[in-house]
């Protein structure tokens, strides 16, 4: 185990904010993890960090940041039709997607190029292009902090919902994910229902599309719409897409017939990016902070912004959307 004091997290958060943590623990195996669990059992200020791609630090962190460093991918079981693959929490998410696609295993390809680690994926149930990671998770392994016991949570136990899970609620600050196991298909199973993918493959016969084609398409689409992390600090979508009742939808559609929406059970999901754009915030910049010119849902650190500046800018957006549409946007990014 390595322990560092007053450690900069600048390279551990994708907004590139130069904040410090009081302690930074690098933990290399499960025995070390059990030791550190004893340390944090009484503490109330600790954070398990993946690659910091969905987090906004508004100040220095007066506590313990833990980085679990195991990085293996293992095939647990293989049958004629599917395969169980386990990956340690610190595996880079897109490395796992790449590994699966190269082996022609289906299920992860729509989630190509999402920043972050495997351990963070179930926490907010990452999703893109018509697929959520909960679709392919078999179980999640980790330690319950309060009791120190090892636990396996099957998919049904994880309370997965849109950008949500038990790890953000009941188990918040009380669980360390060490490994995630996925059930992927050896048979071809593709999902090109998302509009951008439909457009991309409009001239291609569906029988000819492979996992690798979808990965290539998703990478191209993401690169054309989302800012390059190497150039602009950001954390992807800053807000969740709100789900509203029919009354709200109809009220907005009276003035804006172009409102895009997607029915989910008895609610209507509308793109936060559209709402933000209609409030005049697309590409808007105030000082060091702005929204991306091609995707209004992404807030960018143009250089030397502080976390507080970014939070204030996000709150301006929240206020504008509330005033214009009476909708309360929720953060998708974790704010600390
Ligand atoms: N739109 C606008 N203005 C914009 C951008 C988009 O009006 O500036 C409208 C368009 O009508 C567009 C619709 O919003 O068709 C949807 O846009 P897009 O396909 O870019 O997706 P999104 O709803 O903005 C969500 C996820 C993304 C994910 C994409 C693709 C959330 C909060 N975000 O964004 O996830 O990559 O779908 O599936 O659900 C992330 O979570 O960090 C993330 C990037």
């Amino acid at each position: 185990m390595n322990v560092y004091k007053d450690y900069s997290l600048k390279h551990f958060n994708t907004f590139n904010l130069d904040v410090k943590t009081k302690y930074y623990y690098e933990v290399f195996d499960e025995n070390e993890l059990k030791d550190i669990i004893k340390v944090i059992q009484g503490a109330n200020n600790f954070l398990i960090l993946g690659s910091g791609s969905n987090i906004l630090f508004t100040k220095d962190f007066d506590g313990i940041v833990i980085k679990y460093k195991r990085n293996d991918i293992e095939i647990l079981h293989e049958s004629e039709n599917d395969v169980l693959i386990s990956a340690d929490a610190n595996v880079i998410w897109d490395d796992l997607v790449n590994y699966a696609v190269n082996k022609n295993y289906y299920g992860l390809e729509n989630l190509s190029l999402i920043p972050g680690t495997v351990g963070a994926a179930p926490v907010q149930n990452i999703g893109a292009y018509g697929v959520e990671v909960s679709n392919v998770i078999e179980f999640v392994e980790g330690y319950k902090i309060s009791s120190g016991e090892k636990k396996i949570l099957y998919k049904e136990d994880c309370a997965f919902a849109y950008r949500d899970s038990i790890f953000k609620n009941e188990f918040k600050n009380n669980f360390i994910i060490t490994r995630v196991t996925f059930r992927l298909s050896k048979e071809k199973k593709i999902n090109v229902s998302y509009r951008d993918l439909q457009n991309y493959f409009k001239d291609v016969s569906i029988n000819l599309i492979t996992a690798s084609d979808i990965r290539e398409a998703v990478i191209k689409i993401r690169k054309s719409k989302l800012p390059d992390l190497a150039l602009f600090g950001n954390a992807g979508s800053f807000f969740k897409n709100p789900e509203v009742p029919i009354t709200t939808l109809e009220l907005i559609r009276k003035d804006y017939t172009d409102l895009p929406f997607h029915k989910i059970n008895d609610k209507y999901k509308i793109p936060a990016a559209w709402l933000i754009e209609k409030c005049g915030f697309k590409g808007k910049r105030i000082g060091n902070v702005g929204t991306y010119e091609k995707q209004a849902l992404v807030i960018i650190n143009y250089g030397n912004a502080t976390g507080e500046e970014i939070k204030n800018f996000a709150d301006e957006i929240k206020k504008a959307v509330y005033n214009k549409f009476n909708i309360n946007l929720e953060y998708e990014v974790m704010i600390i």
Side-chain angles (χ1 to χ4, degrees):
M1 181 173 346
N2 291 333
V3 185
Y4 303 89
K5 198 162 178 240
D6 295 325
Y7 194 75
S8 170
L9 297 174
K10 186 165 166 65
H11 302 296
F12 300 95
N13 74 98
T14 56
F15 270 118
N16 305 328
L17 297 166
D18 195 6
V19 288
K20 284 200 175 80
T21 173
K22 187 118 189 138
Y23 296 100
Y24 183 74
Y25 280 70
E26 281 180 336
V27 176
F28 294 95
D29 60 35
E30 291 202 23
N31 283 330
E32 291 186 352
L33 197 62
K34 285 184 208 161
D35 291 340
I36 188 76
I37 285 173
K38 286 184 200 132
V39 175
I40 59 177
Q41 262 168 350
N44 53 11
N45 219 3
F46 59 86
L47 180 70
I48 321 295
L49 200 61
S51 45
S53 55
N54 200 47
I55 203 164
L56 174 67
F57 288 101
T58 54
K59 50 182 178 308
D60 285 341
F61 188 72
D62 186 21
I64 300 171
V65 168
I66 297 162
K67 179 84 181 147
Y68 180 62
K69 302 277 284 185
R70 282 195 64 97
N71 278 323
D72 290 335
I73 299 178
E74 182 191 357
I75 295 186
L76 277 194
H77 182 260
E78 210 170 331
S79 72
E80 200 183 321
N81 303 325
D82 54 19
V83 56
L84 285 182
I85 296 190
S86 282
D88 287 325
N90 199 39
V91 169
I92 297 297
W93 173 258
D94 197 53
D95 290 350
L96 175 69
V97 177
N98 191 36
Y99 172 93
V101 167
N102 279 334
K103 288 196 171 295
N104 277 323
Y105 299 149
Y106 284 78
L108 298 179
E109 56 281 0
N110 293 48
L111 304 177
S112 290
L113 214 63
I114 295 183
T117 57
V118 165
V123 177
Q124 60 147 341
N125 187 16
I126 57 169
Y129 304 100
V131 172
E132 287 182 341
V133 73
S134 55
N135 300 146
V136 284
I137 284 181
E138 186 78 359
F139 56 85
V140 176
E141 286 169 71
Y143 286 84
K144 199 161 177 191
I145 294 168
S146 52
S147 62
E149 65 182 319
K150 184 154 192 185
K151 270 182 117 39
I152 292 183
L153 276 91
Y154 283 87
K155 181 211 218 89
E156 305 71 48
D157 307 325
C158 294
F160 285 124
Y162 169 59
R163 296 294 193 275
D164 203 17
S165 75
I166 194 168
F167 309 107
K168 281 176 87 172
N169 297 290
E170 195 187 327
F171 279 15
K172 189 173 176 189
N173 293 335
N174 196 12
F175 202 79
I176 301 184
I177 294 172
T178 52
R179 215 153 84 124
V180 185
T181 297
F182 305 86
R183 184 179 290 277
L184 304 181
S185 175
K186 288 165 85 174
E187 289 174 10
K188 192 160 150 175
K189 273 190 192 161
I190 60 167
N191 180 341
V192 287
S193 58
Y194 201 83
R195 202 172 61 189
D196 286 347
L197 286 177
Q198 273 179 29
N199 287 340
Y200 187 95
F201 289 114
K202 65 180 185 307
D203 300 323
V204 184
S205 157
I206 198 142
N207 304 323
L208 297 177
I209 303 171
T210 63
S212 162
D213 295 331
I214 294 181
R215 175 166 170 77
E216 196 182 306
V218 168
I219 288 175
K220 276 197 186 137
I221 296 166
R222 284 189 76 94
K223 283 191 170 163
S224 73
K225 291 200 164 179
L226 296 168
D228 184 348
L229 278 174
L231 300 178
F232 301 109
N234 74 87
S237 303
F238 200 94
F239 300 98
K240 290 188 198 176
N241 286 331
E243 289 173 11
V244 301
I246 180 96
T247 41
T248 309
L249 183 88
E250 278 174 352
L251 208 64
I252 302 176
R253 276 170 68 85
K254 263 193 204 160
D255 295 327
Y256 300 92
T257 47
D258 62 328
L259 172 67
F261 65 89
H262 183 67
K263 192 168 189 298
I264 294 173
N265 303 321
D266 58 345
K267 289 279 185 73
Y268 295 82
K269 193 186 262 191
I270 52 183
W274 185 92
L275 298 168
I276 295 168
E277 185 172 340
K278 287 289 184 242
C279 290
F281 270 90
K282 185 167 184 169
K284 183 168 173 169
R285 177 171 174 176
I286 302 177
N288 289 314
V289 190
T291 54
Y292 189 48
E293 59 192 10
K294 295 183 199 157
Q295 179 30 301
L297 194 49
V298 179
I299 297 182
I300 286 176
N301 174 4
Y302 277 102
N304 299 315
T306 62
E308 218 181 331
E309 266 177 281
I310 295 173
K311 167 83 163 48
N312 290 341
F313 183 79
D315 285 342
E316 286 297 310
I317 292 178
K318 228 167 121 71
K319 227 188 293 164
V321 169
Y322 185 76
N323 290 340
K324 196 173 180 75
F325 296 108
N326 208 19
I327 290 176
N328 223 330
L329 290 182
E330 281 177 42
Y331 301 126
E332 204 242 348
V333 164
M334 183 163 121
I335 296 182
I336 289 198

